[in-house]
Amino acid sequence: MRIVVLAGGIGGARFLRGLKKAAPDAAITVIGNTGDDIHLFGLKVCPDLDTVMYTLGGGINEDQGWGRADETFRVKEELTAYGVGPGWFGLGDRDFATHIVRTQMLAAGYPLSAVTEALCERWQPGVRLIPMSDDRVETHVAVEVDGERKAVHFQEYWVRLRASVDAHAIVPVGAEQAKPAPGVLEAIAEADIVLFPPSNPVVSVGTILAVPGIREAIAEAGVPVVGLSPIVGDAPVRGMADKVLAAVGVETTAAAVAEHYGSGLLDGWLVDTVDAGTVERIESAGIRCRAIPLLMTDEDTAAEMAREALTLAEEVRA
Ligand code: GDP
Ligand code: CA
C-alpha cells in the first residue's frame, strides 16, 4: 500500500510514528511543509522537515516535540555574547550541525529535496520525506503592533510573539510561483490513500496545498483522502492554531476545519469523541466522519488513530 501524508511539524511527526507502527509494510511518502523555513545566522533552517526527520529517526527531544534530544546551547550563548541574535529562536548545538550541512549542500547547488534525502541517509526515518517544493516559500503573517500594520515572518509571529496579537492575514510568500518538488506529484498520482495528519490546517497543510498543482493532484488522484482533526473540544491540542484559523475566517472547531478543506478534497474526517456531536454536521457536508480518541499521548494511541484513518479510507473507497 502506498500512502501519502501532508505533514507539518509536531502533529504530523507524532502521527507518522503511529502510522509506521499501524502499517509497517506500507510505502509512506511524506510531503513536508517548508513555509516555516527561515534563514538564521546565514543558515537555512527547516523546522518542520527536521521535526519529522528527528522524530522518526529517534533524535527528537520528546518532551518538547521539536529540536534534538540531549541538546546543549553553547553556540547560541556565544552568539549572544557577541550581541548576535535573534535570541528567541532556540537552536541547539546538535541542531546547528544539521543546518550547517544543509546550507553547505544548498550553496554547492543541490536542491532542498536532494539535501533532505541526504540528511535522511543518517536518520533513516523509514518514510520518504520530500519538501513540498525546492523553491523558497515563506509564510508571513500580517499583524498590528502599536497601531502599526506590518508583516512578520511566521516564526517571528509564532515563536517571538507567541501569537499574542491577532493575525489579520496569512500569506505563503512565493507559493504561487513555486513548483512541487520532484517526486511530489508522482507520489500523489501513485498513492492508494492520502492522509492529512492532525497538522495545522492553515500554516502546515494549508501551505502545502498552496503550492500550485498539489491540491489539484490530490483531488484528481481518485483515491480516499482522510484527515484527522488537530482541534479537539474547540481548541488546538497544542499551540495557537486558533489564531491562524481566525485569520482565514474559520472557527476553531473540528467541523469548521473539515468544511474548510471541503468535500471536494476530503472524503473522510476523524474527530475526537468529545466532538461526537458534530459528526452529523460534517457528514451532511458530504464528508464521512467518525468520532474516536484523538490524543496522541504515546506511540500506541497514535497508531490506533492511524488504524482508524486507514479503516475510514477503505470505507469511503467501497
Ligand atoms: P507544528 O508545525 O509543529 O506546529 O506541527 P503541525 O502543524 O504538524 O501540528 C500542529 C497541530 O497539531 C496543532 O494544531 C495541534 O492542535 C495538533 N496536535 C498536536 N498534538 C495533537 C494530538 O495529540 N492530537 C490531535 N488531534 N492534534 C494534535
Ligand atoms: Ca510548523
Side-chain angles (χ1 to χ4, degrees):
M1 186 168 42
R2 284 160 299 194
I3 306 173
V4 165
V5 182
L6 269 48
I10 301 179
R14 290 192 170 161
F15 174 76
L16 282 163
R17 201 155 56 178
L19 180 63
K20 275 174 61 183
K21 199 164 186 180
D25 299 326
I28 302 170
T29 299
V30 179
I31 301 172
N33 172 42
T34 56
D36 291 19
D37 293 6
I38 186 167
H39 286 80
L40 294 169
F41 314 109
L43 301 174
K44 167 93 164 173
V45 180
C46 302
D48 284 1
L49 294 180
D50 289 349
T51 295
V52 170
M53 187 173 77
Y54 294 156
T55 301
L56 300 184
I60 199 79
N61 177 326
E62 284 292 340
D63 299 331
Q64 220 169 236
W66 54 272
R68 288 293 315 278
D70 191 23
E71 187 59 290
T72 51
F73 290 87
R74 293 286 175 83
V75 174
K76 193 179 174 209
E77 285 162 24
E78 291 295 312
L79 287 164
T80 305
Y82 282 111
V84 174
W88 49 263
F89 201 89
L91 288 185
D93 300 330
R94 291 182 188 276
D95 202 19
F96 257 111
T98 304
H99 313 313
I100 291 169
V101 174
R102 173 184 294 123
T103 307
Q104 183 168 266
M105 286 190 72
L106 288 169
Y110 292 96
L112 183 62
S113 51
V115 175
T116 304
E117 201 179 324
L119 293 170
C120 285
E121 281 286 313
R122 171 183 175 196
W123 290 103
Q124 295 291 315
V127 300
R128 180 167 178 224
L129 175 61
I130 319 179
M132 64 190 199
S133 179
D134 280 334
D135 302 320
R136 183 164 167 178
V137 177
E138 239 176 47
T139 302
H140 286 203
V141 183
V143 293
E144 206 171 290
V145 180
D146 302 327
E148 191 201 344
R149 187 95 176 233
K150 59 176 185 174
V152 296
H153 188 287
F154 171 73
Q155 297 298 354
E156 189 170 351
Y157 181 69
W158 207 248
V159 181
R160 187 173 80 82
L161 297 171
R162 299 205 174 280
S164 57
V165 295
D166 288 345
H168 295 287
I170 313 289
V171 185
V173 179
E176 273 175 39
Q177 293 80 35
K179 288 182 299 295
V184 167
L185 297 182
E186 292 81 350
I188 295 169
E190 290 165 6
D192 299 305
I193 292 174
V194 176
L195 297 178
F196 296 175
S199 281
N200 191 305
V202 182
V203 293
S204 293
V205 179
T207 311
I208 300 170
L209 292 171
V211 176
I214 295 186
R215 178 189 287 273
E216 296 76 1
I218 293 171
E220 284 162 16
V223 298
V225 180
V226 170
L228 300 95
S229 178
I231 305 300
V232 170
D234 301 344
V237 178
R238 275 178 80 114
M240 300 77 73
D242 50 318
K243 285 308 205 38
V244 290
L245 281 166
V248 297
V250 176
E251 65 179 17
T252 304
T253 65
V257 173
E259 289 163 0
H260 173 63
Y261 285 130
S263 60
L265 193 62
L266 212 55
D267 302 303
W269 186 243
L270 292 174
V271 300
D272 188 83
T273 42
V274 301
D275 298 310
T278 67
V279 169
E280 216 169 299
R281 169 177 162 190
I282 296 162
E283 294 221 310
S284 64
I287 298 163
R288 189 83 62 102
C289 184
R290 297 279 177 277
I292 61 149
L294 279 193
L295 293 184
M296 299 186 282
T297 39
D298 55 32
E299 219 173 300
D300 288 332
T301 55
E304 194 46 40
M305 284 163 56
R307 261 178 230 113
E308 294 280 1
L310 296 175
T311 302
L312 185 57
E314 293 316 324
E315 252 181 73
V316 300
R317 196 200 303 279

